[in-house]
Amino acid sequence: MYYCKNCGEPYMTDEAIMCVKCGVSRGQGSNYCHNCGKPLQPGANVCLNCGVAAAGSLPANAKSKMVAGLLGIFLGCFGVHNFYLGYTGKAVTQLVLTIVGIVLSCIFVGAFLVLGVWIWALIEGVMILTGSISQDAQGNPLTD
């Protein structure tokens, strides 16, 4: 759930393009935190309540939700989407399990391992695209 940066009220849905209370377009304003809805100190770069980057300041290295989701769907069994988002531990696990599964596919057991990792990555890719996973490993919000 996100909050209006102008008045602090929660948006009706995550897809809302404007606040129904104050009429300001989504993303406009700098009075309230978009993550928790609490008032921000004037000129603050970080919300003192929840610790996210303050209104209007996306980090220079902000990651794209679309890129991460598509990487998860098409190359996810190699952990590419997790490398992209900074979750290196999970990414290495997916990569190693896929490689071991490919090597063991000659005895048929490996095919199930690769299939399991592919399903895991496919679910993560869909979760990223639907917004269930909305932050990278550093806690920065994914851009639309």
Side-chain angles (χ1 to χ4, degrees), residues 4-38:
C4 177
K5 295 179 189 179
N6 189 55
C7 69
E9 289 295 313
Y11 287 112
M12 299 302 281
T13 67
D14 286 342
E15 294 82 27
I17 58 171
M18 67 180 285
C19 177
V20 294
K21 180 181 180 198
C22 67
V24 172
S25 296
R26 185 176 181 147
Q28 301 299 312
S30 60
N31 301 327
Y32 294 87
C33 176
H34 69 278
N35 189 55
C36 67
K38 302 291 183 194

Side-chain angles (χ1 to χ4, degrees), residues 66-143:
M66 183 66 70
V67 169
L70 292 176
L71 286 173
I73 290 171
F74 293 109
L75 296 173
C77 63
F78 299 107
V80 175
H81 63 296
N82 283 316
F83 280 118
Y84 176 71
L85 294 176
Y87 298 107
T88 53
K90 195 169 21 169
V92 168
T93 301
Q94 287 175 323
L95 180 62
V96 168
L97 287 174
T98 299
I99 291 172
V100 168
I102 290 170
V103 169
L104 292 178
S105 65
C106 62
I107 58 171
F108 194 64
V109 155
F112 291 112
L113 189 58
V114 173
L115 180 65
V117 175
W118 180 79
I119 291 171
W120 173 18
L122 178 66
I123 291 170
E124 281 187 336
V126 171
M127 288 175 67
I128 292 168
L129 290 175
T130 60
S132 297
I133 298 174
S134 60
Q135 297 179 346
D136 66 9
Q138 288 75 38
N140 299 319
L142 300 178
T143 61

